[in-house]
Amino acid sequence: MEGYIQIKEAAKKWEIGERRINELCLNGRIEGAVKFGNTWAIPENSEKPADARIKSGKYIKCRGENL
């Protein structure tokens, strides 16, 4: 498809893992991404979504206390 790239190409472009991009597509975080069968098509001009995962470090502190 013209104007779209595959997850593999987006992973290389954005320097993140293919599995992470798949999760972003599943959660609707990549605007314009469309699924065809079992493959995602991502618009070429899409920008990398902001990383909204937990970065507080609180879960790291709790894990270390139980050792």
Side-chain angles (χ1 to χ4, degrees), residues 3-44:
Y4 287 90
I5 58 175
Q6 295 178 348
I7 286 180
K8 189 179 224 179
E9 297 169 52
K12 192 173 186 178
K13 179 181 174 182
W14 295 338
E15 298 178 347
I16 58 177
E18 292 178 31
R19 179 71 183 142
R20 180 71 184 139
I21 294 175
N22 189 53
E23 286 295 319
L24 291 170
C25 289
L26 284 171
N27 294 325
R29 302 266 322 277
I30 299 177
E31 195 171 321
V34 184
K35 192 165 188 177
F36 292 102
N38 62 353
T39 305
W40 284 98
I42 302 168
E44 286 180 338

Side-chain angles (χ1 to χ4, degrees), residues 55-67:
K55 293 185 180 182
S56 66
K58 291 181 182 179
Y59 60 94
I60 295 172
K61 292 178 186 176
C62 294
R63 188 174 63 190
E65 292 175 1
N66 294 333
L67 295 175

